Amino acid sequence: MLRGVRLLCLSDIHGRADALSAVLAVAERRGYSKILVAGDLCFPGPDPLETWRRLTQIQAILVQGTGDRALATLDISKVVPKSPHERSRLDRLSAVRTELGQLILARLGRLPTTHRMNLEDGSELLLVHGSPVDPFEPFCHDMTDEEMAALLGDDPADVIVCGGSHVPFDRMVQGVRIVNVGSVGEAPGGEGAGQGFSHADVTLLETSIAGVEVEQIAVPLGKAA
């Protein structure tokens, strides 16, 4: 039997430490070798600091997402909100910055936008929040192959692990396997009135000299658990 490496792949936690804990509990029962997280770590959920501490505790490999960049670099004083929703988001951004503190904000600002790693079969994996062309422009499940191909760029790697659009999928486009791992903290389709999100997405990649196998799991949260 070929011995492989199991990669736990997550994205878009958005400061939901409860959802992260639920996902890690499932993953720990299954076992894994490394954790890859494709950005959007701490904003706008209720537990930004706890989420960051847990990710650093488990030594996750992190790349920067749109929300992480905003936390680290956005000049709120120059943003004019156009709606009550935008005003609320800016207020939450300010509150999350205060909770995280300058040291963690600086670390978020220094996160790489991509991470590459060699796999057992000789192929290469690229971890990115969005896409190779633009780390902040995601692949979406309803894109055509042509639309996805336009985001691959000149050196996309053999397997792309990404997030950003919150909907998991596994597609092959021009010989590149695109694995969107969905969202831990804001998975769509399960919001109830006042009940929050009903599930968290997690992807397990089993890599060996025989290739890569992908398993995508919806982990129940709250009353759905």
Side-chain angles (χ1 to χ4, degrees), residues 94-167:
S94 179
V96 171
R97 282 178 167 174
T98 299
E99 182 170 346
L100 291 176
Q102 290 302 314
L103 180 60
I104 294 175
L105 290 175
R107 289 175 177 170
L108 286 172
R110 290 194 300 268
L111 286 177
T113 55
T114 61
H115 175 82
R116 291 177 181 263
M117 58 186 295
N118 295 321
L119 302 179
E120 284 67 28
D121 64 350
S123 63
E124 184 183 48
L125 180 149
L126 171 68
L127 177 68
V128 63
H129 182 66
S131 58
V133 161
D134 184 345
F136 305 109
E137 183 175 355
F139 295 104
C140 297
H141 71 286
D142 54 358
M143 283 180 169
T144 65
D145 283 3
E146 291 74 20
E147 289 171 326
M148 288 193 175
L151 296 177
L152 288 177
D154 297 327
D155 186 21
D158 304 292
V159 179
I160 298 172
V161 172
C162 56
S165 64
H166 293 186
V167 179

Side-chain angles (χ1 to χ4, degrees), residues 9 29 74 99:
C9 302
R29 290 195 292 270
L74 183 65
E99 182 170 346

Side-chain angles (χ1 to χ4, degrees), residues 10-69:
L10 311 174
S11 189
D12 296 80
I13 302 166
H14 290 294
R16 286 284 310 280
D18 58 341
L20 177 59
S21 293
V23 161
L24 291 176
V26 170
E28 284 163 5
R29 290 195 292 270
R30 298 288 300 273
Y32 58 86
S33 304
K34 294 180 180 179
I35 301 180
L36 310 181
V37 185
D40 275 7
L41 310 175
C42 300
F43 174 78
D47 315 301
L49 183 57
E50 184 179 350
T51 299
W52 175 262
R53 285 174 172 167
R54 190 72 190 274
L55 290 171
T56 55
Q57 178 187 36
I58 60 180
Q59 298 182 325
I61 296 171
L62 308 173
V63 295
Q64 189 183 75
T66 308
D68 310 313
R69 181 176 63 168

